[in-house]
Amino acid sequence: MNMSTSSNLETRSLLDELCNFDKEGILDLGHPLLNRIAESFLKAAGVGVVQAVSREAYFTAIEGCGTANNGGAVPPEVTGAKKKTQSLSGLKGETSCKSIEALVKNTGKESLQWGLAAGLYSGLTYGLKEARGAHDWKNSAVAGAITGATLALTLEDSSHEHIVQCAITGAAISTAANLLTGIF
């Protein structure tokens, strides 16, 4: 019985840890701003990894089905979508080492972009809230604009117009999210 009690306590403490995950956070870097930035970065980077790998798996499966069903031709809607999403260009049937290397490199880049966006946005909204003493749509708009412009700068072919469009889009999305927070 002593063993089952010990195991039960370990299970409960793990369950308690999982239940309190959002309350306590992942890291304690000594300052709420640093904690918020680091936690947002890590969580979003994880989402970026899952998104990049699942997207590549999807396109690999589609190309495999397309070559079997269409006599080797990949449907144009798939190739167009793949070009737009900046798929992993190194995964074209080369050796396994090159494919894995390309997957890791591009997944890392994608997760860095997701983490950068979340960490920067979270840090800016927190900093603006502390500086202004209010958390409102204005903080969200400024943080979204700066985050959008920064993400545009991480792309290889960013032009002035593209940076401005991303800043406007970031501001609009974050403002809408802030205004809709209490509705749903």
Side-chain angles (χ1 to χ4, degrees):
M1 285 211 183
N2 195 13
M3 285 285 233
S4 66
T5 306
S6 174
S7 176
N8 195 14
L9 288 176
E10 289 175 10
T11 305
R12 259 191 270 145
S13 67
L14 177 62
L15 183 61
D16 291 339
E17 290 293 325
L18 292 174
C19 290
N20 293 328
F21 181 70
D22 287 335
K23 297 175 189 170
E24 294 176 10
I26 301 171
L27 303 168
D28 185 11
L29 300 175
H31 192 278
L33 176 62
L34 295 176
N35 293 343
R36 188 168 178 160
I37 291 170
E39 289 176 12
S40 297
F41 181 90
L42 290 174
K43 288 176 182 178
V47 170
V49 167
V50 170
Q51 189 264 345
V53 170
S54 59
R55 181 185 63 226
E56 188 55 37
Y58 168 76
F59 283 124
T60 301
I62 291 296
E63 285 180 350
C65 291
T67 56
N69 296 335
N70 296 337
V74 177
E77 62 273 4
V78 171
T79 8
K82 192 168 184 177
K83 287 177 186 172
K84 289 178 188 174
T85 59
Q86 300 175 345
S87 181
L88 307 178
S89 57
L91 298 176
K92 298 278 189 218
E94 296 112 352
T95 64
S96 295
C97 275
K98 286 185 180 180
S99 294
I100 291 173
E101 184 179 322
L103 177 69
V104 169
K105 179 182 175 186
N106 289 305
T107 300
K109 181 180 177 183
E110 183 104 8
S111 67
L112 181 66
Q113 288 174 331
W114 279 73
L116 172 69
L120 183 62
Y121 179 79
S122 182
L124 284 169
T125 55
Y126 180 85
L128 288 168
K129 180 182 87 173
E130 292 297 313
R132 293 184 60 236
H135 179 67
D136 56 6
W137 67 270
K138 296 172 190 172
N139 294 350
S140 296
V142 170
I146 293 171
T147 302
T150 304
L151 280 177
L153 292 172
T154 65
L155 301 175
E156 294 173 8
D157 57 346
S158 60
S159 65
H160 174 72
E161 291 81 21
H162 190 253
I163 294 169
V164 171
Q165 286 176 350
C166 287
I168 292 169
T169 302
I173 289 171
S174 61
T175 302
N178 182 282
L179 294 174
L180 296 174
T181 298
I183 293 177
F184 297 105

